[in-house]
Amino acid sequence: MDFEDVSLTALRVFRAVAEHGTFTAAAASLGYTQSAVSRQVAAIERAAGTQLLQRRREGVRLTAAGHTVLRHATVVLDEIEATARELSGLPPAAGTVRLGWIPSAGAVLLPRALTELGRTDPGLRVVSREGTTPVLVRALRAGSLDLVVLGSAPPFRSPDTETPPLVVETLTERSLRLAVPASHPLARGDFVDVADLRGQRWIAGPSSGEDRLMGVWPGLDERPEIAHTARDWLAKLHLVAAGLGLTTVSAALAPAAPEGVRILPVRGGPQEQRRLLLAGLARRPTQSVDRVAAALRAAALAVT
């Protein structure tokens, strides 16, 4: 099979696998069976005459040849989409920016930036979606996103180890905070001492690569009692408001905390800093992408 005979379906499937990191997740996103995804990937690898994906227990990783195929597949698929829009009489998508963001950016930073863009650049269209940092980085490299807002914790490593390296800048760097029920004894002061966190009940979320138990104060010298587990940060804060436990929270979320919650700094022990990062690909950005990036920088300054 010659690579020139590769189907658009195979290219779309390959890009979805690269973006989602597993065959299972790619199949779910496309509405295919996992075996159908496997067949399409096998077909494109036969046409390429080499392995495009490294299969690992935690998912897949692109080989050097896989990066080459993905780069060109993204161009082809974008051109096909542009052609379809033109034939349908739709306006070109040149003024559209695809933005990805982690949940903590969606409460304050993102609405502020998009509201300002609506005022200054009413013709600019931003399509956004939420995701975890690893998922957003894969989508950025797969060409499905133009810009991403990511989270980072010490030791502040690069979002990934792929090449070429992403273009990354820090939007904000602020201390991690503690969300405490307003009726809790710890809420009486203007800060919480880390020693007073022993024996507390916690509301945690699923683990990530940076925080093993998201929602539990890092470095506690005891096995924490996890009273409730929730993925959504707003759900966790409402559980705090109900007096059901404590949780950690980004300082950027403080303005969005519901009634009945105090957001307090923690003293004692090492400083727990968290960063919001803006990341893109190394290629020269379009004017539209530049304008969105500028709006995000301005919003980050306004909420710092």
Side-chain angles (χ1 to χ4, degrees):
M1 179 180 177
D2 191 281
F3 199 83
E4 292 182 355
D5 296 326
V6 167
S7 69
L8 290 175
T9 298
L11 292 178
R12 289 191 182 96
V13 168
F14 179 71
R15 183 166 72 171
V17 173
E19 175 178 344
H20 293 280
T22 68
F23 282 43
T24 302
S29 72
L30 296 168
Y32 292 173
T33 64
Q34 186 170 335
S35 61
V37 168
S38 298
R39 287 195 298 271
Q40 292 293 337
V41 171
I44 201 170
E45 286 187 320
R46 284 197 304 273
T50 187
Q51 187 178 12
L52 302 180
L53 297 168
Q54 295 176 349
R55 279 77 165 171
R56 302 178 297 176
R57 179 180 300 176
E58 65 272 23
V60 299
R61 183 173 182 175
L62 291 169
T63 63
H67 280 291
T68 298
V69 170
L70 179 61
R71 186 172 69 253
H72 291 288
T74 297
V75 173
V76 170
L77 293 172
D78 286 348
E79 287 297 319
I80 290 297
E81 180 182 351
T83 302
R85 290 182 64 87
E86 187 172 340
L87 290 174
S88 300
L90 297 173
T96 298
V97 176
R98 300 163 298 178
L99 175 65
W101 41 278
I102 60 171
S104 61
V108 179
L109 178 71
L110 189 68
R112 183 183 289 267
L114 295 185
T115 298
E116 182 62 15
L117 276 172
R119 186 183 67 81
T120 60
D121 294 273
L124 180 60
R125 179 171 177 255
V126 179
V127 178
S128 78
R129 77 187 209 215
E130 176 190 317
T132 63
T133 288
V135 168
L136 294 176
V137 168
R138 287 196 299 266
L140 180 65
R141 289 204 177 274
S144 301
L145 294 173
D146 302 303
L147 278 176
V148 291
V149 179
L150 310 173
S152 183
F156 300 124
R157 298 185 181 93
S158 174
D160 71 3
T161 57
E162 303 292 339
T163 54
L166 300 175
V167 178
V168 180
E169 64 179 280
T170 299
L171 290 174
T172 65
E173 181 172 343
R174 304 180 71 180
S175 298
L176 188 66
R177 300 295 177 89
L178 188 70
V180 183
S183 58
H184 197 285
L186 292 180
R188 295 170 184 164
D190 294 327
F191 65 90
V192 175
D193 192 289
V194 70
D196 293 331
L197 297 181
R198 289 183 56 86
Q200 300 293 338
R201 302 174 78 229
W202 296 93
I203 300 164
S207 63
S208 74
E210 294 172 341
D211 295 302
R212 292 191 62 189
L213 284 171
M214 293 186 66
V216 176
W217 192 260
L220 293 182
D221 59 351
E222 64 175 357
R223 184 181 180 88
E225 179 188 353
I226 309 300
H228 304 281
T229 301
R231 181 180 299 274
D232 179 67
W233 67 266
L234 185 58
K236 287 195 284 188
L237 287 178
H238 277 286
L239 289 170
V240 172
L244 300 175
L246 315 180
T247 195
T248 59
V249 66
S250 165
L253 292 177
E259 186 177 352
V261 176
R262 290 203 67 197
I263 307 296
L264 298 172
V266 175
R267 295 187 183 179
Q271 285 294 305
E272 291 294 337
Q273 300 294 110
R274 296 295 183 269
R275 289 178 182 171
L276 274 183
L277 307 176
L278 181 62
L281 297 174
R283 66 190 180 213
R284 180 171 178 80
T286 65
Q287 288 186 349
S288 297
V289 170
D290 278 339
R291 292 202 296 274
V292 173
L296 289 166
R297 293 186 196 104
L301 287 174
V303 300
T304 298

